[in-house]
């Protein structure tokens, strides 16, 4: 996969793409990242890429010509072009999966200053937002989108790390723990030591349902609840923290608690 980012501030990406998972993915030739300076395409004799908005208003607006020429020079029939914009649909995990599996070349246009000339919209395939908040420019959004996509590429990280993740099936991920068992009186749930993988999976599903309903009701309402899910929710609603299935599993696993 290839990802091209059009920006006025290429140096912002130096550290982000030279570390950790992204660096390994680049080294393994899983992805090629190309950072393009929009300013290189301006035809203005003073190298300007922005001007005050026509009709008055605050700030500066990025001009059409440099952006459009950069888009045209760096895209082809296989390129999916997106502009980071508050007008766009919110970027999600499903969208990250779509890009990772179906897009051969993704081109991301980063706006900056007070915005981008509206006419640029017709030169891209999609408008994308990373959330309902304001940043100084699209660079941080481009970093987030790139990171979310690259980690999904085959070979970027171990496949087991992707098996169950937050937002899969509209669920938040269950709580995770590590040693020690007892940290300042706060103990790891004993069920996780039982060795009964089906019981652990059931417990984790219950916790995912619990957390999603508390913190992300918007996601919870989209879940297609199974019969087991409904029973687990009944246990939560009735404050049954240790149902019989959990007690039996914990009892068998007590010897593993350290």
């Amino acid at each position: 996969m290839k990802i091209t980012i059009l920006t006025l501030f290429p140096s912002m990406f130096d550290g982000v793409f030279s570390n950790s998972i992204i660096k390994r993915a680049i080294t393994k030739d899983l992805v090629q990242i190309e950072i393009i300076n929009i300013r290189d395409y301006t035809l203005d004799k003073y190298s300007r890429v922005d001007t005050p908005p026509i009709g008055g208003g605050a700030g500066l607006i990025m001009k059409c010509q440099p952006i459009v020429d950069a888009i045209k020079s760096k895209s082809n029939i296989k390129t999916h072009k997106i502009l980071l914009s508050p007008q766009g649909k919110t970027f999600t995990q499903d969208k990250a999966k779509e890009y990772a599996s179906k897009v051969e070349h993704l081109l991301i246009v980063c706006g900056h200053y007070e915005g981008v000339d509206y006419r640029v919209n017709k030169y891209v395939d999609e408008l994308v937002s990373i959330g309902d908040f304001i940043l100084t420019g699209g660079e941080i959004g481009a970093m987030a989108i790139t990171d979310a996509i690259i980690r999904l590429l085959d070979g970027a990280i171990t496949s087991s790390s992707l098996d169950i993740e937050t937002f899969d099936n509209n669920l938040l991920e269950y709580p995770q723990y590590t040693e020690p068992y007892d940290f300042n009186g706060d103990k790891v749930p004993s069920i996780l030591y039982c060795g009964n993988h089906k019981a652990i999976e059931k417990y984790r599903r219950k916790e995912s349902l619990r957390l999603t309903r508390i913190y992300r009701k918007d996601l919870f309402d989209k879940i297609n609840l199974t019969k087991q899910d409904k029973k687990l929710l009944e246990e939560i609603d009735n404050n049954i923290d240790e149902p019989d299935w959990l007690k039996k599993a914990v009892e068998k696993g007590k010897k593993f608690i350290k």
Side-chain angles (χ1 to χ4, degrees):
M1 183 180 191
K2 181 178 180 180
I3 299 176
T4 298
I5 300 173
L6 306 186
T7 174
L8 291 176
F9 301 93
S11 61
M12 289 183 67
F13 296 89
D14 291 347
V16 176
F17 295 156
S18 60
N19 290 281
S20 190
I21 292 171
I22 295 181
K23 181 181 179 180
R24 291 201 300 271
I26 294 172
T27 301
K28 294 165 70 174
D29 291 326
L30 302 178
V31 64
Q32 177 186 351
I33 298 179
E34 181 181 36
I35 309 297
I36 301 299
N37 192 334
I38 296 171
R39 195 177 298 276
D40 292 342
Y41 290 83
T42 183
L43 298 179
D44 186 279
K45 63 180 180 180
Y46 299 109
S47 297
R48 290 177 299 195
V49 293
D50 51 73
T51 58
I54 295 174
L60 298 170
I61 304 299
M62 290 178 66
K63 300 166 68 175
C64 285
Q65 178 272 313
I67 298 175
V68 172
D69 283 359
I71 290 173
K72 288 181 176 180
S73 71
K74 293 298 176 179
S75 60
N76 55 50
I77 194 171
K78 295 182 179 180
T79 304
H80 184 73
K81 304 174 288 292
I82 67 173
L83 169 65
L84 292 171
S85 167
Q87 300 166 22
K89 290 185 178 180
T90 303
F91 183 73
T92 63
Q93 184 69 6
D94 285 341
K95 181 61 71 173
K97 290 178 180 178
E98 178 186 328
Y99 289 160
S101 63
K102 297 181 180 180
V103 176
E104 185 175 318
H105 179 203
L106 181 68
L107 184 145
I108 306 173
V109 181
C110 301
H112 214 85
Y113 305 123
E114 194 64 25
V116 174
D117 189 309
Y118 187 74
R119 292 169 292 184
V120 171
N121 290 12
K122 65 179 65 176
Y123 293 90
V124 298
D125 302 304
E126 189 176 10
L127 303 180
V128 177
S129 169
I130 63 164
D132 295 339
F133 49 89
I134 307 299
L135 298 172
T136 55
E139 285 75 19
I140 293 175
M143 295 174 194
I145 290 172
T146 300
D147 186 279
I149 293 169
I150 290 176
R151 65 185 303 279
L152 295 173
L153 298 177
D154 288 342
I157 60 177
T158 58
S159 58
S160 59
S161 295
L162 301 174
D163 287 344
I164 301 177
E165 293 196 300
T166 294
F167 303 124
D168 282 348
N169 301 314
N170 296 308
L171 277 171
L172 297 181
E173 191 172 11
Y174 48 79
Q176 298 273 30
Y177 301 88
T178 185
E179 301 296 343
Y181 164 67
D182 188 333
F183 179 73
N184 293 337
D186 197 0
K187 300 177 181 179
V188 176
S190 299
I191 181 69
L192 299 178
Y193 288 96
C194 74
N196 184 330
H197 297 297
K198 286 187 177 180
I200 292 173
E201 183 180 341
K202 190 174 181 180
Y203 166 79
R204 285 174 166 171
R205 177 76 179 186
K206 181 177 180 179
E207 291 308 299
S208 287
L209 289 167
R210 185 199 305 272
L211 293 176
T212 306
R213 188 166 65 171
I214 292 172
Y215 296 109
R216 290 297 303 273
K217 188 65 165 53
D218 58 320
L219 293 177
F220 181 82
D221 290 339
K222 298 176 184 178
I223 301 172
N224 292 319
L225 298 173
T226 65
K227 288 184 179 179
Q228 177 177 278
D229 289 340
K230 293 176 181 178
K231 289 182 180 179
L232 293 175
L233 288 169
E234 285 180 8
E235 293 176 3
I236 294 171
D237 292 337
N238 293 318
N239 296 316
I240 303 175
D241 294 327
E242 294 188 348
D244 290 341
W245 63 266
L246 189 146
K247 288 180 180 178
K248 291 178 181 178
V250 169
E251 191 62 34
K252 290 182 179 179
K254 279 185 176 179
K255 61 182 178 181
F256 297 108
I257 297 176
K258 300 177 182 178

